[in-house]
Amino acid sequence: MENLDYWPLFIVFMIAWIVPMLLSWFEVSKVPSVIVEIIVGVACGPFVLNIISDTPIVSFLADTGFLFLIFLSGLEIDMQKIISSFPKGKVTLSNLLKNSFLLAVFIYFGSLILSLPFAWFISLFMEIDIFFFALLLPTVALSITVPILKADGELSRKFGQVMLMEGAIATVMSIIIISVYSGVLENGFEVELLLFILIFFAFTLVYIIGKQISRKRRFQIILYKLEHAASQIRIRGTVALLMFFVLIAHLINTELIMGAFFAGALLSLFVEKKRSSLLFKLDGMSYGFFIPIFFIMVGVNLDLSSLSQFEESIPFIITLLLGFAITQILPALIMWKVFGLKKALAGGVLLCARMGLTIAAAQIGLNLGVINSAENAGIVISSILISLISPLLYKILNKSEVEEHYEIYILGGLRASIILAERLKMHGISALSIVQKKDLIPEYERKHLNFNYVEQISEEVISGLNIRTGDLVIVLTESKLLNQELTTFIKEKLHHSKIIARKQSANRKLIGPNSNIKFIDHDEVLASHVESLIVSPDSISSLSESFENYRLEEIQIKRKEIHKKKVKELALPPTGSLVIQKRDGEVFIPHGDTKLLLGDFITVIGNQNALAEFRKTFVGNT
């Protein structure tokens, strides 16, 4: 312990703490903190101020931070949604636009295909390895895109999922292809080059075993008992899973980040992301400790001496910047139909960011002799420039005040429409109701539901909604004829097939074998509900009677008498419950031994009386 030098680590964490604080203090929102951390790392590195040196312990922690970043990237991907959304038959343009995974695949291979002619274009002016540059251009900096998407709250949305998957596909494919290509150049083609396939077998095997074990009641009980104890069993198991796949990647002599990504993707199959406290803990451990070290040390380790031939590289740098932009933005414009032009352009611009993998690939090329030092300098400086420019342009193009957009449009102002809109709101799904009955407006307003009132729902009204490919349209007007006309117009004139309508309102053409429209038969729904009332009357009555009465509410603790008390010491209402507790940016699930502090925000659920009691308990009489 006496021989360890903690000074570099101390400086690193001072930078990691101060940078986001200053950016927030001066309200600098367009510059991602990760970029600033890299720049400050350069300034504190050996080529400028020489404050931080790359010691073994800091280097190890930085490498671990990179692994955790890629691991969390894999974890953020909704594997269940990808698997369930695979097209069952022929892949059509409609399927491509609806499916986040297929969109991401199209963008990556579009970028890869465009890279070949662009690399050939570069070869007209300078002698380069065309194939190597064609592999270099599509690389994406997950280390930059993921934190930015996470900070904007995009990772849980379809746009963020497409961006994340494209980055993940580009990362994995680039690692595989560059590794195989470098191996062929060094030793010729060998069977050992295909060993990376073993990681797919490990993924499948661990998934099957994990699925079997997770179903065991005894295993579930043990996990529950030890989750909040000092052992933190889920965190330990997660890190063990990460290290297992990293070890496999090491043994088969491929990039370790491939193992980290597959470990995260595997865990995402077992975690309920919206409810799991495991994700909060992983975020705290990774973004609070390991990941900042990685970003800062990227700057510290950047070899500025490689830029000594910078002047010779200026035309090459400009060409590379154009290559990064053209090969990434053009394929990303396919998202136009799904998210709109501005959002699609913003996504393509952000995907232009290049950093660790691009620089690492350039180093591989330098070692193989397929690029020289001047070209390596050009790749390094162009990666830094594009990583500074693209997030700034993304922030400008992806402003939050862009036109308001909804995921679901409900046509019709029936009682069923109100109930449906309220339930969608409970699930956090953005929906807009088009209402044509004035007497229902007060109820929409009382429940704070999004709606537009029109005298008559017409084709002109629907055309003005800016319905996108991924949006769902629900047709629930009182008139069977109007339902049929609207559904036909949306399908045939707007060429939109993501529709739910009443079966009683459909004609043979709409309900034919080639139709993608989903229909609900209210006679079947009514019969099913009556059956449930007969078979399980208590459960159905409880659910239907309590839904409208129960609400979620966030309350800040202001009563001094509550400070430092445990949850189990309070007399809480029996018709309510504590759901989430937030403190200093941390979110966790309260239990009996959880202490409550002044300023904590508590999300509670209950009926009107229970919510009043919660307010009285936590806030006092106001």
Side-chain angles (χ1 to χ4, degrees):
M1 290 293 288
E2 294 178 0
N3 297 326
L4 291 178
D5 183 7
Y6 283 94
W7 171 254
L9 195 58
F10 169 71
I11 298 298
V12 165
F13 273 100
M14 285 303 296
I15 295 170
W17 181 66
I18 290 172
V19 166
M21 289 278 286
L22 290 177
L23 292 178
S24 180
W25 184 283
F26 293 106
E27 298 182 353
V28 180
S29 59
K30 290 187 172 65
V31 181
S33 62
V34 295
I35 299 296
V36 180
E37 287 168 3
I38 292 171
I39 294 172
V40 175
V42 172
C44 295
F47 298 98
V48 185
L49 299 177
N50 197 24
I51 299 174
I52 304 175
S53 58
D54 190 10
T55 63
I57 185 172
V58 176
S59 179
F60 169 76
L61 292 174
D63 291 342
T64 305
F66 189 34
L67 294 177
F68 267 100
L69 180 66
I70 300 302
F71 171 75
L72 291 180
S73 301
L75 183 57
E76 289 287 357
I77 291 177
D78 196 331
M79 292 295 293
Q80 296 285 9
K81 188 177 289 186
I82 292 173
I83 293 169
S84 63
S85 65
F86 279 138
K88 303 299 185 292
K90 185 180 178 182
V91 177
T92 62
L93 180 61
S94 176
N95 288 334
L96 174 65
L97 294 173
K98 289 176 186 176
N99 190 296
S100 300
F101 177 73
L102 291 180
L103 260 180
V105 170
F106 177 89
I107 294 170
Y108 169 70
F109 281 102
S111 178
L112 186 62
I113 291 169
L114 284 175
S115 296
L116 279 168
F118 203 90
W120 171 82
F121 173 75
I122 298 174
S123 70
L124 296 178
F125 303 96
M126 57 188 72
E127 189 177 342
I128 63 167
D129 186 308
I130 295 176
F131 191 71
F132 177 79
F133 274 86
L135 299 179
L136 183 78
L137 287 172
T139 54
V140 172
L142 271 178
S143 57
I144 291 175
T145 57
V146 170
I148 291 172
L149 291 169
K150 188 176 184 66
D152 288 350
E154 292 281 11
L155 285 181
S156 59
R157 303 169 188 159
K158 182 173 182 177
F159 175 75
Q161 284 289 301
V162 173
M163 298 281 287
L164 180 61
M165 279 186 276
E166 199 285 333
I169 292 167
T171 298
V172 173
M173 290 298 293
S174 297
I175 291 168
I176 292 173
I177 299 175
I178 291 174
S179 298
V180 172
Y181 183 60
S182 62
V184 170
L185 287 180
E186 286 185 307
N187 306 312
F189 183 81
E190 296 177 344
V191 178
E192 287 78 3
L193 292 173
L194 302 179
L195 283 176
F196 68 86
I197 297 173
L198 290 175
I199 211 160
F200 293 93
F201 288 109
F203 181 93
T204 305
L205 181 63
V206 176
Y207 172 73
I208 294 171
I209 295 172
K211 202 72 175 175
Q212 294 297 321
I213 294 176
S214 62
R215 290 174 181 167
K216 303 293 182 184
R217 182 62 180 164
R218 180 64 178 165
F219 178 76
Q220 294 171 359
I221 292 172
I222 291 172
L223 280 184
Y224 180 78
K225 282 182 178 180
L226 299 179
E227 180 177 9
H228 299 291
S231 56
Q232 291 292 332
I233 199 68
R234 291 180 188 267
I235 291 289
R236 295 187 184 191
T238 299
V239 176
L241 177 69
L242 169 61
M243 291 300 110
F244 174 70
F245 276 89
V246 168
L247 181 61
I248 291 176
H250 172 71
L251 292 175
I252 62 178
N253 199 28
T254 190
E255 294 292 336
L256 301 185
I257 57 175
M258 188 188 292
F261 175 78
F262 274 93
L266 178 63
L267 186 62
S268 73
L269 291 168
F270 294 95
V271 175
E272 178 58 52
K273 297 176 186 178
K274 292 183 179 178
R275 301 179 182 180
S276 176
S277 60
L278 174 64
L279 297 190
F280 297 128
K281 295 173 183 178
L282 285 173
D283 272 359
M285 180 176 70
S286 303
Y287 285 98
F289 183 75
F290 289 106
I291 293 176
I293 304 175
F294 161 70
F295 283 123
I296 294 165
M297 293 309 295
V298 165
V300 171
N301 292 325
L302 191 62
D303 186 3
L304 293 182
S305 64
S306 66
L307 306 179
S308 58
Q309 302 178 54
F310 175 67
E311 291 182 4
E312 299 177 22
S313 303
I314 289 177
F316 181 57
I317 289 169
I318 295 172
T319 306
L320 272 181
L321 290 174
L322 287 173
F324 289 146
I326 292 171
T327 58
Q328 199 64 69
I329 293 174
L330 289 181
L333 290 179
I334 193 176
M335 296 190 289
W336 181 358
K337 286 283 187 180
V338 185
F339 306 112
L341 178 59
K342 201 169 186 180
K343 192 89 170 177
L345 187 59
V349 166
L350 182 59
L351 288 172
C352 290
R354 304 288 189 268
M355 187 51 70
L357 184 57
T358 308
I359 294 173
Q363 189 61 47
I364 292 171
L366 187 63
N367 295 336
L368 292 172
V370 295
I371 63 173
N372 56 39
S373 58
E375 291 166 347
N376 180 62
I379 293 171
V380 171
I381 196 65
S382 59
S383 297
I384 295 171
L385 288 174
I386 199 70
S387 296
L388 289 170
I389 295 168
S390 64
L392 289 172
L393 290 178
Y394 167 78
K395 289 287 186 180
I396 293 170
L397 291 168
N398 197 44
K399 288 181 180 177
S400 57
E401 57 264 27
V402 181
E403 60 174 318
E404 191 169 16
H405 179 253
Y406 301 92
E407 300 172 67
I408 296 178
Y409 294 87
I410 305 170
L411 308 180
L414 298 174
R415 172 71 180 162
S417 303
I418 297 175
I419 296 172
L420 176 60
E422 188 176 15
R423 296 193 178 196
L424 291 173
K425 182 181 178 182
M426 181 189 72
H427 291 293
I429 301 171
S430 61
L432 177 69
S433 299
I434 308 301
V435 183
Q436 58 180 3
K437 294 182 71 176
K438 278 189 175 180
D439 56 330
L440 291 177
I441 291 177
E443 192 165 359
Y444 275 94
E445 291 177 337
R446 181 175 64 84
K447 295 183 176 181
H448 304 288
L449 301 173
N450 299 314
F451 75 95
N452 285 344
Y453 169 74
V454 295
E455 291 186 2
Q456 177 66 39
I457 300 177
S458 61
E459 295 178 359
E460 290 76 17
V461 170
I462 296 173
S463 298
L465 293 177
N466 189 29
I467 297 171
R468 298 175 181 172
T469 305
D471 300 336
L472 174 64
V473 182
I474 302 172
V475 185
L476 288 177
T477 73
E478 291 178 308
S479 168
K480 291 183 180 180
L481 179 61
L482 181 58
N483 284 343
Q484 187 178 109
E485 290 175 354
L486 295 177
T487 305
T488 303
F489 172 75
I490 295 167
K491 180 179 183 293
E492 297 184 355
K493 299 296 183 182
L494 299 184
H495 305 290
H496 187 86
S497 59
K498 200 172 180 182
I499 309 168
I500 295 177
R502 294 186 176 197
K503 191 173 184 179
Q504 286 80 359
S505 304
N507 57 27
R508 290 184 179 180
K509 188 176 181 181
L510 290 174
I511 210 167
N514 298 322
S515 174
N516 294 322
I517 302 172
K518 294 181 180 179
F519 293 96
I520 50 171
D521 188 327
H522 57 252
D523 293 333
E524 290 181 5
V525 173
L526 178 62
S528 176
H529 185 72
V530 172
E531 177 191 6
S532 298
L533 285 172
I534 295 170
V535 176
S536 51
D538 294 337
S539 301
I540 295 298
S541 298
S542 176
L543 285 171
S544 59
E545 290 170 8
S546 64
F547 179 81
E548 284 201 31
N549 296 325
Y550 277 75
R551 295 287 186 275
L552 283 168
E553 186 173 324
E554 186 177 75
I555 304 171
Q556 186 177 22
I557 298 176
K558 295 182 179 179
R559 281 188 64 199
K560 293 181 180 178
E561 295 84 354
I562 299 296
H563 188 57
K564 292 188 177 180
K565 277 199 171 185
K566 293 182 178 180
V567 171
K568 65 184 180 184
E569 296 173 358
L570 302 179
L572 299 177
T575 53
S577 179
L578 307 186
V579 181
I580 293 174
Q581 184 174 356
K582 291 193 286 188
R583 177 187 300 155
D584 297 330
E586 293 186 26
V587 183
F588 44 92
I589 312 299
H591 50 83
D593 291 319
T594 301
K595 284 190 176 181
L596 303 170
L597 304 181
L598 281 174
D600 286 359
F601 286 90
I602 308 294
T603 301
V604 298
I605 187 172
N607 58 23
Q608 188 173 354
N609 293 332
L611 294 179
E613 286 188 49
F614 279 127
R615 286 191 289 269
K616 185 177 179 181
T617 301
F618 295 134
V619 182
N621 295 317
T622 55

